[in-house]
Amino acid sequence: MGVIHKIGRRKCAVARVYVSEGTGKITVNKREFETYFPTATLQYKVMQPMSLTENASNFDVKVNVYGGGSTGQAEAVRMAIARAMCEVEAENRAILKPEGLLTRDPRMVERKKFGQKKARKKFQFSKR
């Protein structure tokens, strides 16, 4: 099979994933995946495409991820793994697409506007 390389993005996070046949070991930035994503929800998000396609113990995943926060990074890794699972087997696309794992989330942080405190918040208005 060789190594499959895919990229996933979410907000400012970019994840590069290298999937190869193995025993199901996931390493994120040369650390174990459980230590990099300590909470159960983040671990579930990362494992979601593997568990839906029943490939949790068939492939080794090596991840390089940078930018953004922990949630954005976990969702970027999830998207990259989902794309890799589609390349492994074409039938996986029918499983992952309805779950929304192959759709890039376009929501980004809204920029701060000049003359305002934040993107939407204004300075306090004083009438007199």
Side-chain angles (χ1 to χ4, degrees):
M1 175 189 116
V3 178
I4 296 172
H5 172 242
K6 290 290 173 189
I7 293 176
R9 292 185 182 91
R10 172 74 171 96
K11 291 188 177 180
C12 289
V14 179
R16 288 176 165 74
V17 167
Y18 302 91
V19 177
S20 57
E21 288 183 13
T23 59
K25 189 172 185 233
I26 300 176
T27 55
V28 181
N29 291 352
K30 298 178 182 172
R31 288 162 55 187
E32 286 184 31
F33 132 85
E34 285 85 8
T35 58
Y36 195 85
F37 296 117
T39 61
T41 54
L42 296 179
Q43 290 175 12
Y44 170 76
K45 280 183 181 179
V46 171
M47 289 299 293
Q48 200 175 5
M50 303 275 274
S51 58
L52 283 172
T53 57
E54 284 125 31
N55 287 324
S57 60
N58 299 346
F59 297 101
D60 286 342
V61 181
K62 185 174 165 273
V63 181
N64 293 326
V65 65
Y66 63 90
S70 56
T71 305
Q73 286 189 352
E75 291 183 15
V77 171
R78 174 174 75 173
M79 182 180 197
I81 292 174
R83 286 177 169 174
M85 290 298 109
C86 286
E87 194 166 310
V88 166
E89 204 171 320
E91 292 95 58
N92 290 341
R93 187 171 178 82
I95 300 167
L96 297 171
K97 185 90 170 135
E99 298 292 322
L101 301 184
L102 298 173
T103 307
R104 162 76 162 93
D105 195 342
R107 294 177 295 171
M108 299 289 280
V109 177
E110 190 175 335
R111 70 174 282 266
K112 182 200 171 295
K113 280 75 166 192
F114 62 90
Q116 296 181 15
K117 209 174 184 77
K118 293 177 8 182
R120 301 283 177 99
K121 189 174 184 179
K122 313 281 192 283
F123 289 114
Q124 185 172 344
F125 175 72
S126 171
K127 195 166 189 175
R128 282 178 196 90

